Amino acid sequence: MNIQKTGEKHPKTIRLWPKNYPQTVFRLVGVQDELLRFAYKLTTDREEANDLLQETSLKALDNEDKYMPDTNFKGWMYTIMRNIFINNYRKVVRDQTFIDRTDNLYH
C-alpha cells in the first residue's frame, strides 16, 4: 500500500509489519502452501490439515529461538509438523484403547 503526499516525487510506503518482526514469520509464510500439502497428505482431511498447519505454525513461532540460523528452515518445519501429527495420532490411539479391568470369571 502506497500513500503519496502532495508535492512529493516518491510515494511513502506504509509498513504492514513492524521493522523488528521476526524472520520466522516471513519464512513461515513462504513455505505455508507446501506445509498445507504435506499436512493434507498426512491427514487426508482438509479441516484436519488446516488445524495441523495452524498448530505447526504456532509451535514454530513459540520455539523460533531453537531454530539454528543457516540450516534448512523448511526441513525444520516439516519435522515439527510430522512430530505433531505423530503425537496427535498416539493420543487418539491411547484415548480409543479400552482396557478390560474386570475379573475373568470364565477360566
Side-chain angles (χ1 to χ4, degrees), residues 2-14:
N2 290 326
I3 295 180
Q4 187 167 352
K5 290 186 177 181
T6 311
E8 289 186 2
K9 292 182 182 179
H10 303 288
K12 278 191 173 181
T13 301
I14 295 178

Side-chain angles (χ1 to χ4, degrees), residues 53-67:
L53 176 62
Q54 183 176 4
E55 194 173 346
T56 301
S57 300
L58 291 173
K59 185 90 162 186
L61 291 172
D62 286 344
N63 293 290
E64 68 181 313
D65 57 319
K66 295 179 183 174
Y67 172 71

Side-chain angles (χ1 to χ4, degrees), residues 22-37:
Q23 281 298 114
T24 307
V25 174
F26 297 114
R27 288 182 175 150
L28 185 59
V29 170
V31 297
Q32 213 166 21
D33 290 339
E34 294 173 65
L35 288 172
L36 184 57
R37 281 192 293 274

Side-chain angles (χ1 to χ4, degrees), residues 23-107:
Q23 281 298 114
T24 307
V25 174
F26 297 114
R27 288 182 175 150
L28 185 59
V29 170
V31 297
Q32 213 166 21
D33 290 339
E34 294 173 65
L35 288 172
L36 184 57
R37 281 192 293 274
F38 182 58
Y40 185 71
K41 284 181 183 180
L42 292 172
T43 63
T44 65
D45 180 75
R46 294 214 185 274
E47 288 299 315
E48 286 185 34
N50 284 321
D51 290 345
L52 181 57
L53 176 62
Q54 183 176 4
E55 194 173 346
T56 301
S57 300
L58 291 173
K59 185 90 162 186
L61 291 172
D62 286 344
N63 293 290
E64 68 181 313
D65 57 319
K66 295 179 183 174
Y67 172 71
M68 303 298 288
D70 301 324
T71 59
N72 185 354
F73 180 77
K74 193 186 328 182
W76 185 64
M77 292 300 300
Y78 277 96
T79 301
I80 292 172
M81 181 173 281
R82 186 197 63 209
N83 290 343
I84 290 172
F85 174 76
I86 291 169
N87 289 342
N88 289 346
Y89 176 79
R90 287 177 180 158
K91 183 179 184 306
V92 167
V93 169
R94 185 176 57 244
D95 291 346
Q96 292 179 353
T97 302
F98 175 76
I99 300 173
D100 184 9
R101 296 180 191 264
T102 60
D103 293 333
N104 192 356
L105 301 175
Y106 305 101
H107 295 290

